[in-house]
Amino acid sequence: MAVEPYPRNLTFSSAYNFRDVGGYAGADGRTVRWRRLFRADSLHRLEGEDWAAFSALGVRTVIDLRRTYEVEQHGRVPEADGLDYRNLVLEHVDWQDVPYPADVVHARWLADRYLNFAEDGHVALAAALGVIADPDAAPVVVHCMAGKDRTGVTCALALALVGVSDADVAADYALTETSMRSLMEYLRGRDPASVDGREHMFDSPAEAMLIFLRELRERHGSVESYARDIGLTDAQLSSMRASLLTPA
């Protein structure tokens, strides 16, 4: 159970799924540090009071997992002195091209999409995890469009690598459910086609993340082994624990 000296959910009028992943129990009795790693939906709408609130967090690095056309169509986080922007494109099968049969368990369908991220998107995942492991990059914000899937998998891997339990990783992922209602309302008012008929793409049942983590281990032996398989070094894994966890 996370202890929350800071608000987990950060309130912005133009970002709907922005939160801190700190406070969870990690390896060796240590805890994930607050205000080191954030997850969010797209940050291109930040301005005015929202931009001031974002700036006050002292973020040094923004990892944007969106494809090039998404950045070109919607824009990116505003440029600012001291803010390092990384567009690390996470490749994956286009979801609209994947059948969604009525008899398929939804969590299973989502987990399969996430396993595809781990395969087709491994270059971006390795790069993103490497940034998260660098203490000089912190605080870091990871985001995509909705902050649910590409972001959810990246943050799930980071949390798992520092010893957070699958139950807590899945519970953190599932917190997105509430945020998606506000984001879907916003999108329906501006681009209904991005939501209508695609409602299943906005869900985040905890079971989907549990299936993903379990089957990733079945394929690679452990989350750490997966991280090594995609190129992370032992030094980076140690650095990630040192950066994200409270001192021993």
Side-chain angles (χ1 to χ4, degrees):
M1 192 73 170
V3 178
E4 302 187 5
Y6 295 96
R8 181 170 301 287
N9 293 291
L10 287 87
T11 302
F12 295 91
S13 63
S14 59
Y16 301 91
N17 192 23
F18 196 120
R19 64 180 183 271
D20 194 324
V21 301
Y24 295 109
D28 305 321
R30 299 156 74 185
T31 302
V32 180
R33 294 169 64 183
W34 292 91
R35 297 304 189 254
R36 297 290 286 181
L37 178 60
F38 301 94
R39 53 179 297 167
D41 53 323
S42 183
L43 303 178
H44 67 276
R45 296 180 294 266
L46 292 179
E47 61 182 4
E49 292 183 1
D50 280 348
W51 178 246
F54 175 84
S55 299
L57 295 173
V59 171
R60 291 182 182 175
T61 310
V62 170
I63 298 173
D64 182 348
L65 300 170
R66 295 175 300 162
R67 292 173 168 178
T68 302
Y69 79 85
E70 293 174 289
V71 179
E72 291 174 347
Q73 180 178 351
H74 300 286
R76 47 153 285 184
V77 68
E79 295 186 29
D81 290 341
L83 183 63
D84 184 10
Y85 171 77
R86 313 276 188 98
N87 184 205
L88 305 177
V89 177
L90 198 159
E91 299 292 351
H92 59 88
V93 173
D94 288 328
W95 286 27
Q96 59 266 30
D97 296 336
V98 180
Y100 183 62
D103 60 344
V104 171
V105 176
H106 188 40
R108 172 75 265 171
W109 189 88
L110 283 169
D112 285 341
R113 307 287 73 72
Y114 299 163
L115 290 164
N116 172 248
F117 288 172
E119 295 170 357
D120 290 0
H122 72 274
V123 172
L125 286 171
L129 292 171
V131 173
I132 292 169
D134 180 1
D136 292 334
V140 175
V141 178
V142 180
H143 82 87
C144 50
M145 279 303 297
K148 181 179 83 72
D149 304 305
R150 291 168 287 188
T151 296
V153 166
T154 303
C155 289
L157 292 172
L159 291 175
L161 287 169
V162 299
V164 177
S165 71
D166 285 6
D168 280 346
V169 171
D172 181 82
Y173 162 79
L175 290 175
T176 291
E177 288 277 6
T178 300
S179 302
M180 285 302 96
R181 298 189 198 110
S182 298
L183 178 59
M184 290 170 74
E185 182 180 353
Y186 167 82
L187 291 174
R188 277 200 174 100
R190 289 156 179 80
D191 182 17
S194 67
V195 177
D196 295 340
R198 301 182 179 184
E199 288 82 359
H200 62 286
M201 297 184 185
F202 290 85
D203 294 336
S204 54
E207 182 61 21
M209 185 55 67
L210 293 172
I211 295 170
F212 164 70
L213 291 170
R214 181 176 68 246
E215 296 191 6
L216 188 73
R217 291 191 181 95
E218 290 173 359
R219 295 182 182 190
H220 294 270
S222 67
V223 178
E224 281 198 7
S225 293
Y226 168 74
R228 292 188 183 95
D229 287 346
I230 64 174
L232 268 75
T233 65
D234 288 342
Q236 285 177 307
L237 295 174
S238 295
S239 180
M240 184 180 294
R241 288 188 284 271
S243 180
L244 289 187
L245 294 176
T246 54

